[in-house]
Amino acid sequence: MNELDEIEGAGTGAGTGVGTEGGTPEGEQGAAPAGEFRSGFAALVGRPNVGKSTLLNALVGEKLSIVTPRPQTTRHRIIGIVNMPQVQIAFVDTPGLHRGETRGLNRAMNRAASSALDDCDLCVFVVEAMRWSKQDTFVLDRIKLSNRPAMAVVNKVDGVHPKGLLLPYLAELGARHEFVEVVPISALKSDNLEALTKAIARQLPVAPAMFPPEDKTDKSERFRIAESIREKLTMELNQEVPYGIAVEVERIADGEDGQVDVDATIWVDREGQKPIVIGPKGERLKRVGRSARMELNRLLGRRLHLTLWVKVRENWADNARSLKELGLE
Ligand code: GDP
Ligand code: MG
């Protein structure tokens, strides 16, 4: 049973009574009138670490976007496509919007998040249950500026006990903006996601599907390989280094026995980071390669032979040309 059933009406749209102006009457939920197809872009927007990428993966049912306990893991706009009867939702995962960024990479990430927001049909504002910070205010102000309809999604409710504690939080949140709905969920436990997709579907324009029904993402295999390696590496490293890491897949080729040979370079932005990434006797790099390979074998349904190189490109994260070459601009 859905944990959220403890809260009366949680996630049933108009039933929550929190910031639900414009909700549709009972009985019409999620479904367009017969013959009408709805589709559009729903941008997942929020401060770093609220669970946007976890939510994207849970919605699509496949790991498209990497997830780590560290903020600012997502660097690109990643589209994840959800097909339902008469509905196609293209979710756009974005890097977390954050304030006062001077470094090139962070500015590029903010730009990616901002343009996703300005291009979407619905803004899905993700926050963390029971928390509100200046960063959330910053993001909400940006949403207000965009003039897009916005839905508030309160994630990580699995950590709230008893669930009744959520009610005043939901009410406060609902008062901050005219959200089309406020929906509590747990992306990690896949809790209340069906109510969420139905609520989103109601907000999308009547329009034909934008992607073929078999597509799950706009990203290539090459991109997903690079991201998987970056995730495993980020999990291994301490606070400062992950920012200075980029992964570039140099070569994908058919190898022996149906294997796929992949050569990838891990770029670091200072010579001193090289030994950290490689680790004593190369152990760290080996672990990274092994876990990325295992994940990718599963994700791509092919056996990979992965060769990793570590190279230095001084200050790439501040250098416009390097950012462009690494696909980050
Ligand atoms: P993003 O920066 O907004 O994309 O956040 P991520 O998806 O990378 O998640 C950040 C951290 O929050 C990770 O450690 C996730 O496992 C964790 N997280 C995400 N969703 C939930 C949730 O519903 N419940 C809990 N307890 N943790 C979550
Ligand atoms: Mg993310």
Side-chain angles (χ1 to χ4, degrees), residues 35-255:
E36 271 186 347
F37 196 96
R38 288 179 187 273
S39 84
F41 287 95
L44 302 172
V45 184
R47 68 166 162 83
N49 233 28
V50 291
K52 299 177 293 298
S53 297
T54 306
L55 177 57
L56 180 88
N57 295 339
L59 288 164
V60 176
E62 189 171 317
K63 186 167 165 192
L64 297 177
S65 199
I66 65 173
V67 172
T68 79
R70 305 241 162 75
Q72 298 177 31
T73 297
T74 309
R75 288 178 178 168
H76 306 75
R77 262 162 54 164
I78 298 171
I79 294 179
I81 302 150
V82 172
N83 291 294
M84 302 185 301
Q86 300 290 86
V87 178
Q88 181 176 75
I89 311 173
F91 286 96
V92 190
D93 188 17
T94 65
L97 271 168
H98 44 281
R99 281 189 302 175
E101 288 304 348
T102 48
R103 299 197 69 179
L105 172 61
N106 279 335
R107 282 213 307 267
M109 284 160 65
N110 262 344
R111 266 200 304 279
S114 284
S115 70
L117 179 53
D118 292 328
D119 293 344
C120 70
D121 296 289
L122 176 71
C123 167
V124 178
F125 175 41
V126 185
V127 297
E128 195 173 323
M130 312 311 283
R131 299 227 180 142
W132 186 266
S133 70
K134 278 184 186 154
Q135 286 183 298
D136 295 302
T137 305
F138 172 73
V139 177
L140 183 56
D141 286 346
R142 182 66 188 78
I143 290 169
K144 289 178 179 178
L145 209 69
S146 78
N147 254 330
R148 301 276 143 186
M151 178 177 297
V153 168
V154 179
N155 190 29
K156 307 198 186 182
V157 298
D158 54 286
V160 182
H161 305 285
K163 289 286 175 276
L165 290 175
L166 269 174
L167 292 173
Y169 179 87
L170 297 178
E172 243 173 74
L173 181 61
R176 292 182 193 275
H177 182 62
E178 282 198 11
F179 294 112
V180 293
E181 291 192 30
V182 176
V183 185
I185 63 155
S186 166
L188 197 66
K189 310 267 184 216
S190 281
D191 212 351
N192 218 28
L193 299 190
E194 204 183 315
L196 175 63
T197 47
K198 284 183 176 170
I200 291 169
R202 281 196 290 276
Q203 302 298 328
L204 297 181
V206 174
M210 301 170 292
F211 299 90
E214 65 276 11
D215 283 11
K216 288 198 163 166
T217 183
D218 64 329
K219 292 294 181 211
S220 63
E221 203 166 71
R222 178 175 289 259
F223 175 85
R224 295 179 71 184
I225 294 171
E227 287 288 272
S228 172
I229 297 165
R230 192 164 63 83
E231 179 188 79
K232 305 309 172 209
L233 201 54
T234 302
M235 302 296 276
E236 281 270 340
L237 296 171
N238 53 26
Q239 293 296 343
E240 319 86 83
V241 181
Y243 182 84
I245 297 281
V247 179
E248 190 174 20
V249 171
E250 313 265 6
R251 191 179 73 99
I252 304 178
D254 291 331

